[in-house]
Amino acid sequence: LSHQGSGCVGPLKHVASCSFGKDSLATILLALEHGEPLDEAVYCEVMFDKEISGEVPEHRAFIYETALPRLERLGIPVRVLRSDKTYLDLFAGTVTRGPKKGLRRGFPLCGHCYVQRDCKLRPIRRYNRTLTPDTVQYVGIASDEPVRLRRLQGDQVSLLEKYHYTEEDAKHLCQKAGLLSPVYAFTDRGGCWFCPNASMRELRHLYNAHPDLWQLLLELQDAPNKATERFNRSYTLHDLDLRFCLEGEQLSLFSYGER
């Protein structure tokens, strides 16, 4: 097989985009099962700061302690990409134009996430530029996601579509292989723990299971001179903190009454 930078000409290179969610891992499992060519898996890790990952801790532990070693034992090398920018770098950046010029950038906006753009898409695009134009990219889009499938470009292939695997089929395949991330116990989607699109269920899990990370968000909420004060479309972190605190008190009252 040809490898980037080797100067050799050989068969097409095949890479799998991998978030270590059910769809991307099921794609790799199907490639192995059906003898599809696969040279490497590519994973981009978004970082909160230089030390703390943006992955929900349960998912990061699954990636580095279970899934990544397993793939490499199966003969699939995993390339880990990271941006030189972190969430904190971007949060603290200064708005350079418009009515909010001079303010701290603050929380990313839903639908206009600068973290997705700068911390994930840019490293992936930089990596893609090292590939030959005919490289085949496997993407984890299930057969029951017609809108996303229609967006596939010429060099992108969905093995889940090829082998007629729905999202639920992908989940079962990973479960059977012992490669289902524990995050599916409290969410149906992947995403950073500071994502403005996180569901209330995900945010509640962060509040209850990872108070250290929750505290980091509260500290950002208190930072002055931000262009955006709300964490998501509807709430500040203090709004959410109060809500979850009151929910906890109600549960405690119910538990006391049931004794």
Side-chain angles (χ1 to χ4, degrees):
L1 291 174
S2 60
H3 295 280
Q4 61 184 76
S6 67
C8 301
V9 177
L12 290 180
K13 185 169 185 175
H14 295 72
V15 300
S17 299
C18 188
S19 65
F20 292 96
K22 59 180 175 54
D23 295 336
S24 57
L25 279 174
T27 294
I28 293 171
L29 291 171
L30 285 173
L32 292 168
E33 179 182 343
H34 294 278
E36 298 279 2
L38 178 56
D39 294 290
E40 66 179 7
V42 179
Y43 161 63
C44 185
E45 182 174 18
V46 175
M47 300 295 288
F48 175 75
D49 61 19
K50 297 300 184 186
E51 303 296 328
I52 302 172
S53 177
E55 298 287 3
V56 176
E58 293 90 339
H59 190 54
R60 190 178 196 278
F62 166 74
I63 291 171
Y64 285 100
E65 297 170 18
T66 301
L68 198 153
R70 176 83 171 276
L71 291 187
E72 295 196 329
R73 285 198 301 272
L74 291 169
I76 306 298
V78 179
R79 183 183 298 267
V80 179
L81 308 177
R82 289 196 187 101
S83 172
D84 56 353
K85 297 285 187 182
T86 68
Y87 177 87
L88 277 191
D89 292 332
L90 298 175
F91 182 96
T94 302
V95 178
T96 57
R97 58 189 176 185
K100 297 187 179 182
K101 181 178 178 179
L103 293 178
R104 193 190 309 258
R105 190 181 279 133
F107 298 113
L109 301 173
C110 295
H112 301 278
C113 183
Y114 58 69
V115 179
Q116 170 87 351
R117 181 195 68 203
D118 292 353
C119 296
K120 193 164 192 175
L121 294 180
R122 281 186 180 169
I124 290 172
R125 286 169 180 159
R126 189 163 55 242
Y127 164 77
N128 286 344
R129 286 196 293 271
T130 71
L131 302 173
T132 57
D134 55 0
T135 298
V136 176
Q137 298 187 44
Y138 295 136
V139 292
I141 301 178
S143 64
D144 54 349
E145 297 182 277
V147 174
R148 294 185 67 207
L149 286 171
R150 283 197 293 272
R151 294 180 189 148
L152 288 179
Q153 298 175 2
D155 59 350
Q156 297 175 318
V157 174
S158 167
L159 294 183
L160 296 176
E161 180 189 33
K162 180 176 179 178
Y163 294 105
H164 312 293
Y165 269 67
T166 64
E167 286 193 83
E168 194 61 27
D169 294 332
K171 187 174 182 178
H172 287 312
L173 181 62
C174 291
Q175 208 161 26
K176 184 178 176 183
L179 283 174
L180 184 67
S181 172
V183 295
Y184 291 105
F186 55 85
T187 182
D188 295 324
R189 59 180 282 281
C192 299
W193 54 265
F194 42 73
C195 179
N197 294 313
S199 68
M200 200 61 70
R201 188 180 177 196
E202 291 169 81
L203 293 171
R204 189 179 291 109
H205 173 83
L206 186 70
Y207 173 89
N208 288 321
H210 305 290
D212 54 331
L213 300 182
W214 187 258
Q215 183 60 36
L216 292 176
L217 290 179
L218 289 176
E219 291 170 9
L220 292 181
Q221 185 68 71
D222 292 334
N225 303 319
K226 297 190 296 296
T228 55
E229 283 298 329
R230 288 181 180 175
F231 173 71
N232 56 26
R233 286 189 176 95
S234 304
Y235 301 104
T236 68
L237 266 304
H238 290 307
D239 294 334
L240 293 165
D241 192 63
L242 178 60
R243 172 176 177 157
F244 297 149
C245 179
L246 292 174
E247 287 177 354
E249 289 178 359
Q250 287 178 330
L251 287 173
S252 296
L253 284 172
F254 283 128
S255 297
Y256 180 81
E258 290 170 357
R259 290 179 185 175

